[in-house]
Amino acid sequence: NKEFSGLETNSFVDGLYFCVVTMCTIGYGDIVPVTPFTKFFACGFVLVGFGFIDALVSGMVTYMLDKQEHLLLSA
């Protein structure tokens, strides 16, 4: 609680809100990391999170393109 600055409502809801706002690169600035550790953690969280999102979207696109190619070749 002392590592973030902002109006606190519910720690779980605030944590989820911070994660979603950060990963969507909106960055409202109403909840911000204060200590150097939490700033580095937030940077690492974004880099790792974008890697997972990239892998997920890439996998979905590859699956759809393979399915489309199979349908075109079978026609």
Side-chain angles (χ1 to χ4, degrees):
N1 292 340
K2 297 176 185 173
E3 296 178 355
F4 286 89
S5 173
L7 180 64
E8 183 179 345
T9 55
N10 181 321
S11 59
F12 178 76
V13 173
D14 288 343
L16 181 63
Y17 170 77
F18 176 75
C19 291
V20 170
V21 168
T22 303
M23 287 303 297
C24 293
T25 66
I26 297 170
Y28 290 125
D30 53 350
I31 299 176
V32 295
V34 176
T35 64
F37 173 75
T38 53
K39 289 178 183 179
F40 284 122
F41 179 79
C43 291
F45 171 76
V46 169
L47 293 175
V48 170
F50 279 148
F52 282 129
I53 291 172
D54 179 43
L56 177 69
V57 171
S58 175
M60 291 183 346
V61 168
T62 302
Y63 172 76
M64 293 303 293
L65 289 176
D66 288 344
K67 194 164 188 75
Q68 183 181 19
E69 180 183 11
H70 176 67
L71 288 172
L72 287 173
L73 290 176
S74 65

